[in-house]
Coordinates of all heavy atoms in Angstrom, one line a residue:
M1 N 306.4 207.7 242.4 CA 307.1 208.3 241.2 C 306.3 208.0 240.0 O 305.6 207.1 239.9 CB 308.5 207.9 241.2 CG 308.7 206.4 240.8 SD 310.4 206.0 240.7 CE 310.8 205.5 242.4
D2 N 306.6 208.8 239.0 CA 306.0 208.6 237.7 C 306.8 207.6 236.9 O 307.8 207.0 237.4 CB 305.8 209.9 236.9 CG 307.1 210.6 236.7 OD1 308.2 209.9 236.7 OD2 307.0 211.8 236.4
S3 N 306.4 207.4 235.6 CA 307.1 206.4 234.8 C 308.2 207.0 233.9 O 308.5 206.4 232.8 CB 306.0 205.7 233.9 OG 305.4 206.7 233.1
L4 N 308.8 208.0 234.3 CA 310.0 208.6 233.6 C 311.0 207.5 233.5 O 311.3 206.7 234.4 CB 310.5 209.8 234.3 CG 311.7 210.5 233.7 CD1 311.2 211.2 232.4 CD2 312.2 211.6 234.6
N5 N 311.7 207.5 232.4 CA 312.7 206.4 232.1 C 313.8 206.3 233.2 O 314.3 205.2 233.5 CB 313.3 206.5 230.7 CG 314.1 207.7 230.5 OD1 313.9 208.7 231.2 ND2 315.0 207.7 229.6
T6 N 314.1 207.4 233.8 CA 315.2 207.4 234.8 C 314.8 206.8 236.1 O 315.6 206.6 237.0 CB 315.8 208.8 235.0 OG1 314.7 209.6 235.5 CG2 316.4 209.4 233.8
H7 N 313.5 206.5 236.2 CA 313.0 206.0 237.5 C 312.9 204.5 237.5 O 312.4 203.9 238.5 CB 311.6 206.5 237.8 CG 311.5 208.0 238.0 ND1 310.4 208.8 238.0 CD2 312.5 208.9 238.3 CE1 310.7 210.0 238.2 NE2 312.0 210.1 238.4
F8 N 313.5 203.8 236.6 CA 313.5 202.4 236.5 C 314.9 201.8 236.9 O 315.9 202.5 236.7 CB 313.1 201.9 235.1 CG 311.7 202.2 234.8 CD1 311.3 203.3 234.1 CD2 310.7 201.3 235.3 CE1 310.0 203.5 233.8 CE2 309.4 201.6 235.0 CZ 309.0 202.7 234.3
K9 N 314.9 200.6 237.4 CA 316.2 200.0 237.8 C 317.2 200.0 236.7 O 318.4 200.1 236.9 CB 315.9 198.6 238.3 CG 315.2 198.5 239.6 CD 315.0 197.1 240.1 CE 314.2 197.1 241.5 NZ 314.0 195.8 241.9
K10 N 316.7 199.8 235.5 CA 317.6 199.7 234.3 C 318.5 200.9 234.3 O 319.7 200.8 233.9 CB 316.8 199.5 233.1 CG 317.6 199.5 231.8 CD 316.8 199.4 230.6 CE 317.6 199.5 229.3 NZ 316.9 199.6 228.1
S11 N 317.9 202.1 234.6 CA 318.7 203.3 234.5 C 319.8 203.3 235.6 O 320.9 203.9 235.4 CB 317.8 204.5 234.8 OG 316.9 204.6 233.7
F12 N 319.6 202.7 236.7 CA 320.7 202.6 237.7 C 321.8 201.8 237.1 O 323.0 202.2 237.3 CB 320.2 202.0 239.0 CG 319.5 202.9 239.9 CD1 318.1 203.2 239.7 CD2 320.1 203.5 241.0 CE1 317.4 204.0 240.6 CE2 319.5 204.4 241.8 CZ 318.1 204.6 241.6
Y13 N 321.5 200.7 236.5 CA 322.6 199.8 236.0 C 323.3 200.5 234.8 O 324.5 200.3 234.6 CB 322.0 198.5 235.5 CG 321.7 197.6 236.7 CD1 320.4 197.4 237.1 CD2 322.7 196.8 237.3 CE1 320.1 196.6 238.2 CE2 322.4 196.0 238.3 CZ 321.1 195.9 238.8 OH 320.9 195.1 239.8
E14 N 322.6 201.5 234.2 CA 323.3 202.2 233.1 C 324.2 203.3 233.6 O 325.1 203.8 232.9 CB 322.2 202.8 232.1 CG 321.5 201.8 231.3 CD 320.4 202.4 230.5 OE1 320.0 203.6 230.7 OE2 319.7 201.6 229.7
S15 N 323.9 203.7 234.9 CA 324.6 204.9 235.5 C 325.7 204.5 236.5 O 326.6 205.3 236.7 CB 323.6 205.8 236.2 OG 322.7 206.2 235.3
F16 N 325.6 203.3 237.1 CA 326.6 202.9 238.1 C 327.1 201.6 237.9 O 326.6 200.8 237.1 CB 325.8 202.9 239.5 CG 325.2 204.2 239.9 CD1 323.9 204.4 239.8 CD2 326.0 205.2 240.5 CE1 323.3 205.6 240.2 CE2 325.4 206.4 240.8 CZ 324.1 206.6 240.7
Y17 N 328.3 201.3 238.5 CA 328.8 199.9 238.5 C 327.9 199.0 239.2 O 327.1 199.5 240.1 CB 330.2 199.9 239.2 CG 331.3 200.6 238.4 CD1 331.8 201.8 238.9 CD2 331.7 200.1 237.2 CE1 332.8 202.4 238.2 CE2 332.7 200.7 236.5 CZ 333.3 201.9 237.0 OH 334.3 202.5 236.2
R18 N 327.9 197.8 238.9 CA 326.9 196.8 239.5 C 326.8 196.8 241.0 O 325.8 196.9 241.5 CB 327.3 195.4 238.9 CG 326.3 194.4 239.4 CD 326.6 193.0 238.7 NE 325.5 192.1 239.1 CZ 325.8 191.0 239.7 NH1 327.0 190.6 240.0 NH2 324.8 190.2 240.0
E19 N 328.0 196.8 241.6 CA 328.0 196.8 243.1 C 327.3 198.1 243.7 O 326.5 198.0 244.6 CB 329.4 196.7 243.6 CG 330.1 195.4 243.3 CD 330.7 195.4 241.9 OE1 330.9 196.5 241.2 OE2 330.9 194.3 241.3
E20 N 327.6 199.2 243.1 CA 327.1 200.4 243.6 C 325.6 200.5 243.3 O 324.8 200.9 244.2 CB 327.7 201.7 243.0 CG 327.2 203.0 243.4 CD 327.4 203.3 244.9 OE1 328.0 202.6 245.6 OE2 326.9 204.4 245.3
C21 N 325.2 200.0 242.2 CA 323.8 200.0 241.8 C 323.0 199.1 242.8 O 322.0 199.5 243.3 CB 323.7 199.4 240.4 SG 322.0 199.3 239.8
E22 N 323.5 198.0 243.1 CA 322.8 197.1 244.0 C 322.7 197.6 245.4 O 321.7 197.5 246.1 CB 323.4 195.7 243.9 CG 323.2 195.0 242.6 CD 324.0 193.7 242.4 OE1 324.7 193.3 243.3 OE2 323.7 193.0 241.4
R23 N 323.8 198.3 245.8 CA 323.8 199.0 247.1 C 322.7 200.0 247.2 O 321.9 200.1 248.1 CB 325.1 199.6 247.4 CG 325.3 200.2 248.8 CD 326.6 200.9 249.0 NE 326.6 202.2 248.2 CZ 326.0 203.3 248.7 NH1 325.4 203.4 249.8 NH2 326.1 204.4 247.9
L24 N 322.6 200.9 246.2 CA 321.6 201.9 246.1 C 320.2 201.4 246.1 O 319.3 201.8 246.7 CB 321.9 202.9 244.9 CG 323.2 203.7 245.1 CD1 323.4 204.4 243.7 CD2 323.0 204.7 246.2
L25 N 320.0 200.4 245.2 CA 318.6 199.8 245.0 C 318.1 199.2 246.3 O 316.9 199.1 246.5 CB 318.6 198.9 243.8 CG 318.7 199.5 242.5 CD1 318.9 198.5 241.4 CD2 317.5 200.4 242.2
K26 N 319.0 198.7 247.2 CA 318.6 198.1 248.4 C 317.9 199.2 249.3 O 317.1 198.9 250.2 CB 319.7 197.5 249.2 CG 320.2 196.1 248.6 CD 321.3 195.6 249.4 CE 321.8 194.3 248.7 NZ 323.0 193.8 249.4
K27 N 318.3 200.4 249.1 CA 317.8 201.5 250.0 C 316.5 202.2 249.4 O 315.9 203.0 250.0 CB 318.8 202.6 250.0 CG 320.1 202.2 250.7 CD 321.0 203.3 250.8 CE 322.3 202.9 251.6 NZ 323.1 204.1 251.9
I28 N 316.1 201.7 248.2 CA 315.0 202.4 247.5 C 313.8 201.4 247.4 O 313.9 200.3 247.0 CB 315.4 202.9 246.1 CG1 316.5 203.9 246.2 CG2 314.2 203.4 245.4 CD1 317.1 204.3 244.9
K29 N 312.6 201.9 247.8 CA 311.4 201.2 247.5 C 310.5 202.1 246.6 O 310.2 203.2 246.9 CB 310.6 201.0 248.9 CG 309.3 200.2 248.7 CD 308.6 199.9 249.9 CE 307.4 199.1 249.7 NZ 306.6 198.9 250.9
S30 N 310.3 201.5 245.5 CA 309.5 202.3 244.4 C 308.0 202.1 244.6 O 307.5 201.0 244.8 CB 310.0 201.8 243.0 OG 311.3 202.0 242.8
A31 N 307.3 203.2 244.4 CA 305.9 203.1 244.4 C 305.4 204.0 243.1 O 305.6 205.2 243.2 CB 305.3 203.7 245.6
Y32 N 305.0 203.3 242.1 CA 304.7 204.0 240.9 C 303.3 204.5 240.8 O 302.4 203.9 241.4 CB 304.9 203.0 239.7 CG 306.4 202.7 239.5 CD1 307.0 201.6 240.0 CD2 307.2 203.6 238.8 CE1 308.3 201.3 239.9 CE2 308.6 203.3 238.7 CZ 309.1 202.2 239.2 OH 310.4 201.9 239.1
T33 N 303.1 205.6 240.2 CA 301.7 206.2 240.0 C 301.3 206.0 238.6 O 302.1 205.8 237.7 CB 301.7 207.7 240.4 OG1 302.6 208.3 239.5 CG2 302.1 207.9 241.8
S34 N 300.0 206.1 238.3 CA 299.6 206.0 236.9 C 300.0 207.2 236.1 O 300.4 208.2 236.7 CB 298.1 205.8 236.9 OG 297.4 207.0 237.3
K35 N 299.9 207.2 234.8 CA 300.3 208.3 234.0 C 299.4 209.5 234.2 O 299.9 210.6 234.0 CB 300.2 207.9 232.5 CG 301.3 206.9 232.1 CD 301.1 206.6 230.6 CE 302.1 205.6 230.2 NZ 302.0 205.4 228.7
H36 N 298.2 209.4 234.6 CA 297.3 210.5 234.7 C 296.9 210.9 236.1 O 295.7 211.1 236.4 CB 296.0 210.2 233.8 CG 296.4 209.8 232.4 ND1 296.9 210.7 231.5 CD2 296.3 208.6 231.8 CE1 297.1 210.1 230.4 NE2 296.8 208.8 230.5
V37 N 297.8 210.9 237.0 CA 297.6 211.3 238.4 C 297.9 212.8 238.5 O 299.0 213.2 238.8 CB 298.4 210.5 239.3 CG1 298.1 210.8 240.8 CG2 298.2 209.0 239.1
S38 N 296.9 213.6 238.4 CA 297.1 215.1 238.3 C 297.6 215.6 239.7 O 298.3 216.6 239.7 CB 295.9 215.8 237.8 OG 294.8 215.6 238.7
W39 N 297.2 215.0 240.8 CA 297.6 215.5 242.1 C 299.1 215.4 242.3 O 299.7 216.3 243.0 CB 296.9 214.7 243.2 CG 297.4 213.3 243.3 CD1 296.7 212.2 242.7 CD2 298.5 212.7 244.0 NE1 297.4 211.1 243.0 CE2 298.5 211.3 243.8 CE3 299.6 213.3 244.7 CZ2 299.5 210.5 244.3 CZ3 300.5 212.5 245.3 CH2 300.5 211.1 245.0
I40 N 299.8 214.5 241.6 CA 301.2 214.4 241.8 C 301.9 215.7 241.2 O 302.9 216.2 241.7 CB 301.8 213.1 241.3 CG1 303.3 212.9 241.8 CG2 301.9 213.1 239.8 CD1 303.4 212.4 243.2
N41 N 301.4 216.2 240.2 CA 301.9 217.4 239.5 C 301.7 218.6 240.5 O 302.7 219.4 240.6 CB 301.2 217.7 238.2 CG 301.5 216.6 237.2 OD1 302.6 216.1 237.1 ND2 300.5 216.3 236.4
K42 N 300.6 218.7 241.2 CA 300.5 219.7 242.2 C 301.5 219.6 243.3 O 302.1 220.6 243.7 CB 299.1 219.7 242.8 CG 298.0 219.9 241.8 CD 296.6 219.8 242.6 CE 295.5 219.7 241.6 NZ 294.2 219.5 242.3
A43 N 301.7 218.4 243.8 CA 302.7 218.2 244.8 C 304.1 218.6 244.3 O 304.9 219.2 245.0 CB 302.7 216.8 245.2
E44 N 304.4 218.2 243.1 CA 305.8 218.6 242.6 C 305.9 220.1 242.4 O 307.0 220.6 242.7 CB 306.0 217.9 241.2 CG 306.2 216.4 241.3 CD 306.2 215.7 240.0 OE1 305.9 216.3 238.9 OE2 306.7 214.6 240.0
I45 N 304.9 220.7 242.0 CA 304.9 222.2 241.9 C 305.2 222.8 243.3 O 306.0 223.7 243.5 CB 303.7 222.8 241.3 CG1 303.6 222.4 239.8 CG2 303.6 224.3 241.4 CD1 302.3 222.6 239.2
E46 N 304.5 222.4 244.3 CA 304.6 222.9 245.6 C 306.0 222.6 246.2 O 306.6 223.5 246.8 CB 303.5 222.3 246.6 CG 303.5 222.9 247.9 CD 303.0 224.3 247.9 OE1 302.2 224.7 247.0 OE2 303.3 225.0 248.9
I47 N 306.5 221.4 246.0 CA 307.8 221.1 246.5 C 308.9 221.9 245.8 O 309.9 222.3 246.5 CB 308.1 219.6 246.3 CG1 307.2 218.8 247.2 CG2 309.6 219.3 246.5 CD1 307.2 217.3 247.0
N48 N 308.7 222.3 244.6 CA 309.7 223.1 243.8 C 309.6 224.6 244.0 O 310.5 225.3 243.6 CB 309.6 222.7 242.4 CG 310.2 221.3 242.1 OD1 311.3 221.0 242.6 ND2 309.5 220.6 241.3
L49 N 308.6 225.1 244.6 CA 308.4 226.5 244.8 C 309.6 227.2 245.5 O 310.1 228.2 245.0 CB 307.1 226.9 245.6 CG 305.9 226.8 244.7 CD1 304.6 227.0 245.6 CD2 305.9 227.8 243.6
P50 N 310.1 226.6 246.6 CA 311.3 227.3 247.2 C 312.5 227.4 246.3 O 313.2 228.4 246.3 CB 311.6 226.3 248.4 CG 310.3 225.6 248.7 CD 309.7 225.5 247.4
D51 N 312.7 226.4 245.4 CA 313.8 226.5 244.5 C 313.7 227.6 243.6 O 314.7 228.3 243.3 CB 313.9 225.2 243.7 CG 315.1 225.1 242.8 OD1 316.2 225.5 243.3 OD2 315.0 224.5 241.7
Y52 N 312.5 227.9 243.1 CA 312.3 229.0 242.1 C 312.2 230.4 242.8 O 312.6 231.4 242.3 CB 311.1 228.7 241.3 CG 311.2 227.5 240.3 CD1 310.5 226.4 240.6 CD2 312.1 227.5 239.3 CE1 310.6 225.3 239.8 CE2 312.3 226.4 238.5 CZ 311.5 225.3 238.8 OH 311.6 224.2 237.9
E53 N 311.6 230.4 244.0 CA 311.2 231.7 244.6 C 312.2 232.1 245.7 O 312.3 233.3 246.0 CB 309.8 231.6 245.2 CG 308.8 231.4 244.1 CD 307.4 231.3 244.6 OE1 307.2 231.2 245.9 OE2 306.4 231.3 243.8
C54 N 312.8 231.1 246.3 CA 313.6 231.5 247.5 C 315.1 231.1 247.4 O 315.9 231.7 248.1 CB 313.1 230.8 248.7 SG 311.3 231.1 249.0
L55 N 315.4 230.2 246.6 CA 316.8 229.7 246.5 C 317.5 230.0 245.2 O 318.3 229.3 244.7 CB 316.8 228.2 246.8 CG 316.1 227.8 248.1 CD1 316.1 226.2 248.2 CD2 316.8 228.4 249.3
D56 N 317.1 231.2 244.7 CA 317.7 231.5 243.4 C 319.0 232.3 243.5 O 319.5 232.9 242.6 CB 316.7 232.4 242.6 CG 316.3 233.7 243.4 OD1 316.6 233.7 244.6 OD2 315.7 234.5 242.8
R57 N 319.6 232.2 244.7 CA 320.9 232.8 244.9 C 321.8 231.9 245.8 O 321.3 231.0 246.4 CB 320.7 234.2 245.6 CG 320.1 234.1 246.9 CD 319.4 235.3 247.3 NE 318.6 235.2 248.5 CZ 317.3 234.6 248.5 NH1 316.9 234.2 247.4 NH2 316.6 234.5 249.6
N58 N 323.0 232.2 245.9 CA 323.9 231.4 246.7 C 323.7 231.7 248.1 O 323.7 232.9 248.6 CB 325.4 231.8 246.3 CG 326.4 230.8 246.9 OD1 326.0 229.8 247.5 ND2 327.7 231.2 246.8
I59 N 323.5 230.7 248.9 CA 323.3 230.8 250.3 C 324.5 230.2 251.0 O 324.8 229.0 250.8 CB 322.0 230.1 250.8 CG1 320.8 230.9 250.1 CG2 321.9 230.1 252.3 CD1 319.5 230.3 250.4
G60 N 325.2 230.9 251.9 CA 326.5 230.6 252.4 C 326.6 229.5 253.4 O 327.6 228.9 253.6
N61 N 325.5 229.3 254.2 CA 325.6 228.3 255.3 C 324.3 227.7 255.6 O 323.2 228.2 255.1 CB 326.3 228.9 256.5 CG 325.4 230.1 257.0 OD1 324.3 229.9 257.3 ND2 326.0 231.3 257.1
E62 N 324.3 226.6 256.4 CA 323.1 225.9 256.7 C 322.1 226.7 257.5 O 320.9 226.6 257.2 CB 323.5 224.6 257.4 CG 322.3 223.7 257.7 CD 322.7 222.4 258.4 OE1 323.9 222.1 258.6 OE2 321.8 221.7 258.8
D63 N 322.5 227.5 258.4 CA 321.6 228.3 259.2 C 320.8 229.3 258.3 O 319.6 229.5 258.5 CB 322.3 229.1 260.3 CG 322.8 228.1 261.4 OD1 322.2 227.1 261.6 OD2 323.8 228.5 262.1
E64 N 321.5 229.9 257.4 CA 320.9 230.9 256.5 C 319.9 230.1 255.5 O 318.8 230.6 255.3 CB 321.9 231.6 255.6 CG 321.3 232.6 254.7 CD 320.6 233.8 255.3 OE1 320.7 234.0 256.6 OE2 319.8 234.5 254.6
L65 N 320.3 228.9 255.1 CA 319.4 228.1 254.3 C 318.1 227.8 255.0 O 317.0 228.0 254.5 CB 320.1 226.8 253.9 CG 319.2 225.8 253.1 CD1 318.7 226.4 251.8 CD2 320.0 224.5 252.9
K66 N 318.2 227.4 256.3 CA 317.0 227.1 257.1 C 316.2 228.3 257.2 O 315.0 228.3 257.2 CB 317.5 226.5 258.4 CG 318.0 225.1 258.4 CD 318.5 224.7 259.8 CE 319.1 223.3 259.7 NZ 319.6 222.9 261.0
R67 N 316.8 229.5 257.5 CA 316.1 230.8 257.7 C 315.3 231.1 256.4 O 314.2 231.5 256.5 CB 317.0 231.9 258.1 CG 316.4 233.1 258.6 CD 317.4 234.2 258.9 NE 317.9 234.9 257.8 CZ 317.2 235.7 257.0 NH1 315.9 236.0 257.2 NH2 317.8 236.3 255.9
Q68 N 316.0 231.0 255.3 CA 315.4 231.4 254.0 C 314.2 230.4 253.7 O 313.1 230.8 253.2 CB 316.4 231.3 252.9 CG 317.4 232.4 252.9 CD 316.8 233.7 252.6 OE1 315.9 233.9 251.8 NE2 317.4 234.8 253.2
M69 N 314.4 229.1 254.0 CA 313.3 228.1 253.7 C 312.1 228.4 254.6 O 311.0 228.3 254.1 CB 313.8 226.7 253.9 CG 314.8 226.2 252.8 SD 314.0 226.2 251.2 CE 312.8 224.9 251.5
L70 N 312.4 228.7 255.8 CA 311.2 228.9 256.8 C 310.5 230.2 256.3 O 309.2 230.2 256.3 CB 311.8 229.1 258.2 CG 310.8 229.3 259.3 CD1 309.8 228.2 259.3 CD2 311.4 229.5 260.6
L71 N 311.2 231.2 256.0 CA 310.6 232.5 255.5 C 309.8 232.2 254.2 O 308.6 232.7 254.1 CB 311.7 233.5 255.3 CG 311.2 234.9 254.7 CD1 310.3 235.5 255.8 CD2 312.3 235.8 254.4
C72 N 310.3 231.4 253.3 CA 309.6 231.1 252.1 C 308.4 230.4 252.4 O 307.3 230.6 251.8 CB 310.5 230.4 251.2 SG 309.8 230.1 249.5
C73 N 308.4 229.4 253.2 CA 307.3 228.5 253.5 C 306.1 229.4 254.2 O 305.0 229.2 253.9 CB 307.6 227.4 254.4 SG 308.6 226.1 253.6
K74 N 306.6 230.2 255.1 CA 305.6 231.1 255.8 C 304.9 232.0 254.7 O 303.7 232.2 254.8 CB 306.2 231.9 256.9 CG 306.6 231.2 258.1 CD 307.2 232.0 259.2 CE 307.5 231.2 260.4 NZ 308.2 232.1 261.4
E75 N 305.7 232.6 253.8 CA 305.1 233.5 252.8 C 304.1 232.7 251.9 O 303.0 233.2 251.6 CB 306.2 234.0 251.9 CG 307.0 235.1 252.6 CD 308.2 235.6 251.8 OE1 308.4 235.1 250.7 OE2 308.9 236.5 252.3
N76 N 304.5 231.5 251.5 CA 303.6 230.7 250.7 C 302.3 230.3 251.4 O 301.2 230.3 250.8 CB 304.3 229.4 250.2 CG 305.3 229.7 249.1 OD1 305.2 230.7 248.4 ND2 306.3 228.9 249.0
I77 N 302.4 230.0 252.7 CA 301.2 229.6 253.5 C 300.3 230.9 253.6 O 299.1 230.8 253.5 CB 301.6 229.1 254.8 CG1 302.2 227.7 254.7 CG2 300.4 229.0 255.8 CD1 302.9 227.1 255.9
S78 N 300.8 232.0 253.9 CA 300.1 233.2 254.1 C 299.4 233.7 252.8 O 298.3 234.3 252.9 CB 300.9 234.4 254.7 OG 301.8 234.8 253.7
E79 N 300.0 233.4 251.7 CA 299.3 233.8 250.4 C 298.1 232.9 250.0 O 297.3 233.3 249.2 CB 300.4 233.7 249.3 CG 301.4 234.7 249.3 CD 302.4 234.6 248.2 OE1 302.1 233.9 247.2 OE2 303.5 235.2 248.3
K80 N 298.0 231.7 250.6 CA 296.9 230.8 250.4 C 296.7 230.6 248.9 O 295.6 230.8 248.4 CB 295.6 231.3 251.1 CG 295.7 231.3 252.6 CD 294.5 231.8 253.3 CE 294.7 231.9 254.7 NZ 293.6 232.4 255.5
R81 N 297.7 230.1 248.2 CA 297.6 229.9 246.8 C 296.6 228.8 246.5 O 296.4 227.9 247.2 CB 298.9 229.5 246.3 CG 300.0 230.6 246.4 CD 301.3 230.1 245.9 NE 302.3 231.1 246.1 CZ 303.5 231.1 245.7 NH1 303.9 230.1 245.0 NH2 304.3 232.1 245.9
I82 N 295.9 229.0 245.3 CA 294.9 228.0 244.9 C 295.4 227.5 243.6 O 295.8 228.3 242.6 CB 293.6 228.7 244.8 CG1 293.1 229.2 246.1 CG2 292.6 227.7 244.1 CD1 291.8 230.0 246.1
F83 N 295.4 226.2 243.4 CA 295.7 225.6 242.1 C 294.4 225.4 241.3 O 293.5 224.8 241.8 CB 296.3 224.2 242.3 CG 297.8 224.2 242.7 CD1 298.1 224.1 244.0 CD2 298.7 224.4 241.8 CE1 299.4 224.1 244.4 CE2 300.1 224.4 242.1 CZ 300.5 224.3 243.5
N84 N 294.4 226.0 240.2 CA 293.2 225.7 239.3 C 293.7 224.7 238.2 O 294.3 225.1 237.2 CB 292.8 227.0 238.6 CG 292.2 228.0 239.6 OD1 291.4 227.6 240.4 ND2 292.6 229.2 239.5
W85 N 293.5 223.5 238.5 CA 294.1 222.4 237.7 C 293.0 221.7 236.9 O 291.9 221.5 237.4 CB 294.7 221.3 238.6 CG 295.4 220.3 237.9 CD1 294.9 219.1 237.5 CD2 296.7 220.3 237.4 NE1 295.9 218.4 236.8 CE2 297.0 219.1 236.7 CE3 297.7 221.3 237.5 CZ2 298.2 218.8 236.2 CZ3 299.0 221.0 236.9 CH2 299.2 219.8 236.3
S86 N 293.3 221.6 235.6 CA 292.4 220.8 234.8 C 293.1 219.9 233.9 O 294.1 220.3 233.3 CB 291.5 221.8 233.9 OG 292.4 222.5 233.1
F87 N 292.7 218.6 233.9 CA 293.5 217.6 233.1 C 292.8 217.5 231.8 O 291.6 217.4 231.7 CB 293.4 216.3 233.8 CG 294.1 215.2 233.1 CD1 295.5 215.1 233.1 CD2 293.4 214.2 232.4 CE1 296.2 214.2 232.4 CE2 294.1 213.2 231.7 CZ 295.5 213.2 231.7
T88 N 293.6 217.7 230.7 CA 293.1 217.5 229.4 C 293.7 216.4 228.6 O 294.8 216.0 228.9 CB 293.3 218.8 228.6 OG1 294.7 219.2 228.5 CG2 292.5 220.0 229.2

């Protein structure tokens, strides 16, 4: 994860009661990346594509959700998208 302020333990304590915070933090292992890791941005874009392209409407049940996600992933793979990334 990046260094966004909500990714720190302090934010959990600001959002939850102490007991709930400690319960949740036991389940999480944090691995921080440096500020200038451009590959993580590519991964975040790829992970979010279905949200923008396929899930922009109400889907009524789990089977339909799975079908839509599979279709979206197949379309994205067949398009062979290329990221032209430059860090400035």
Side-chain angles (χ1 to χ4, degrees):
M1 72 176 85
D2 59 20
S3 59
L4 183 66
N5 65 335
T6 59
H7 295 163
F8 292 98
K9 290 181 181 181
K10 179 182 175 190
S11 293
F12 278 84
Y13 284 101
E14 291 173 354
S15 302
F16 301 102
Y17 290 112
R18 184 172 183 240
E19 295 80 19
E20 179 67 2
C21 178
E22 290 173 357
R23 184 187 73 79
L24 291 170
L25 288 172
K26 286 180 184 176
K27 296 181 175 191
I28 298 173
K29 181 177 180 181
S30 298
Y32 293 96
T33 58
S34 69
K35 289 183 181 179
H36 304 294
V37 181
S38 60
W39 65 266
I40 196 77
N41 295 321
K42 293 179 197 177
E44 288 174 346
I45 291 168
E46 187 68 26
I47 289 168
N48 287 314
L49 280 174
D51 186 36
Y52 295 111
E53 296 179 351
C54 307
L55 304 177
D56 59 347
R57 62 202 168 283
N58 188 11
I59 296 177
N61 60 57
E62 185 177 349
D63 290 334
E64 180 63 14
L65 174 62
K66 289 177 182 177
R67 191 182 77 72
Q68 290 290 330
M69 288 298 295
L70 183 60
L71 180 62
C72 185
C73 290
K74 285 181 179 179
E75 288 174 1
N76 286 335
I77 290 169
S78 68
E79 289 179 15
K80 297 180 182 176
R81 296 180 183 186
I82 297 172
F83 282 99
N84 294 316
W85 187 265
S86 60
F87 181 75
T88 56

